[in-house]
Amino acid sequence: MNNKLLMDNLRCIPDFPVKGVNFRDVTTLFKSPECLKEMVEEMYELYKDKGITKVVGIESRGFVLASALALRLGAGVILCRKPGKLPTETIQESYEKEYGTDTIEIHKDAITPDDVVLLHDDLLATGGTMKASCNLVKKFHPKKVYANFIIELVNEGFEGRNIFDKDIEVSTLIQV
């Protein structure tokens, strides 16, 4: 964890999107072939023996590594999106955010009870979006659910890891 290559290439933008927030910009990791390869390989090592059959990418930065990792694991990719973005029947999960309610959805035929599912997003802070995503995936009754992030904010007073059900194994590549 806290791989030097990834830490050295992670851009921090102070006061974005509002004053007092230090935005962790994963796009600098995505644009580097070395970082991209390193992240996929680290995640592959974490999950290669878990029997993952589907990788769920959380809109939108989660799509990048979800696709690459699914390819490496020999799994399918599922998109978890905001309402109205998926073209056929969906199931939804709504959740509270600090400034209101939000909703995410997945295609109704995306996951089966035989699946082992890995959810992936770029950043764990409060954990609200991923918790809702996990709840949504659990509606399909898969065999097992895992959650993974590139970055976990731990030094800024966030404790997002603590909101997940005990049966969900949470992993991150970088803690800042």
Side-chain angles (χ1 to χ4, degrees):
M1 193 170 320
N2 284 4
N3 177 300
K4 182 170 175 25
L5 174 68
L6 301 181
M7 293 297 287
D8 288 349
N9 284 278
L10 180 63
R11 179 169 42 200
C12 181
I13 303 170
D15 298 323
F16 181 83
V18 294
K19 189 163 181 59
V21 172
N22 290 317
F23 184 79
R24 308 301 173 166
D25 181 14
V26 295
T27 64
T28 56
L29 301 178
F30 294 159
K31 75 178 183 178
S32 162
E34 296 83 13
C35 289
L36 193 57
K37 181 178 180 185
E38 184 71 20
M39 290 184 293
V40 171
E41 288 306 311
E42 278 194 33
M43 289 193 305
Y44 174 74
E45 288 300 319
L46 285 170
Y47 296 105
K48 68 182 180 185
D49 298 323
K50 305 284 188 186
I52 305 296
T53 58
K54 301 278 175 56
V55 180
V56 176
I58 312 302
E59 187 164 323
S60 66
R61 290 180 297 271
F63 295 166
V64 177
L65 288 184
S67 298
L69 182 59
L71 181 64
R72 185 77 169 90
L73 290 169
V77 176
I78 305 300
L79 303 182
C80 186
R81 303 218 52 196
K82 294 177 180 170
K85 302 290 186 181
L86 294 171
T88 190
E89 254 188 290
T90 62
I91 62 170
Q92 297 183 336
E93 180 78 14
S94 293
Y95 60 103
E96 294 298 319
K97 295 175 79 169
E98 56 277 4
Y99 50 83
T101 302
D102 212 344
T103 302
I104 52 169
E105 59 185 24
I106 293 177
H107 278 138
K108 195 172 186 176
D109 62 354
I111 298 168
T112 72
D114 291 329
D115 283 319
V116 176
V117 180
L118 170 61
L119 292 100
H120 172 75
D121 205 358
D122 66 323
L123 180 85
L124 173 58
T126 64
T129 302
M130 183 61 87
K131 171 70 169 149
S133 301
C134 288
N135 291 345
L136 180 57
V137 165
K138 283 184 166 189
K139 290 179 181 180
F140 292 95
H141 307 289
K143 289 181 183 177
K144 178 77 176 150
V145 177
Y146 297 90
N148 172 267
F149 303 86
I150 300 170
I151 304 164
E152 179 178 9
L153 299 181
V154 294
N155 295 327
E156 298 180 25
F158 293 107
E159 295 183 11
R161 180 180 289 263
N162 297 331
I163 71 166
F164 294 97
D165 297 340
K166 298 299 177 209
D167 64 329
I168 296 178
E169 187 179 302
V170 178
S171 66
T172 59
L173 301 182
I174 301 171
Q175 289 185 329
V176 294

